[in-house]
Amino acid sequence: FVRMSFRFCGAGEVQHEDIAPGGITGNQAGAIWISARVPTDCRPGTYLYEFSVFDGKGHQSNSLEATFTLTTLIGTRQ
């Protein structure tokens, strides 16, 4: 499975979401496509997500960090 780690709106304790992609069997390398969702009430800023992969025996891969910048509040009225 893939573990996505993040802080809700960039604050608070680190949360984890485990995602079990289908169709992966016996591969030592490959690609997994997942997407991260951002709550619409987060403030503009730079956010960090971290991704790790775990195999069937619980061994963890190295981690991949991804940042993105939210520049506009969605659904707000000026």
Side-chain angles (χ1 to χ4, degrees):
F1 65 90
V2 175
R3 174 167 288 162
M4 180 173 61
S5 303
F6 59 95
R7 294 180 191 273
F8 182 77
C9 289
E13 292 188 31
V14 174
Q15 298 179 33
H16 306 285
E17 183 175 336
D18 294 339
I19 304 159
I24 299 175
T25 57
N27 293 325
Q28 294 182 359
I32 299 171
W33 296 94
I34 60 173
S35 61
R37 295 180 303 271
V38 180
T40 59
D41 56 349
C42 289
R43 295 252 179 242
T46 300
Y47 295 88
L48 172 71
Y49 280 72
E50 183 177 287
F51 301 89
S52 297
V53 176
F54 291 80
D55 67 12
K57 294 182 180 180
H59 300 121
Q60 182 178 359
S61 71
N62 56 334
S63 296
L64 173 65
E65 292 184 350
T67 60
F68 68 92
T69 302
L70 181 63
T71 58
T72 305
L73 287 174
I74 299 170
T76 60
R77 296 180 188 210
Q78 304 272 333

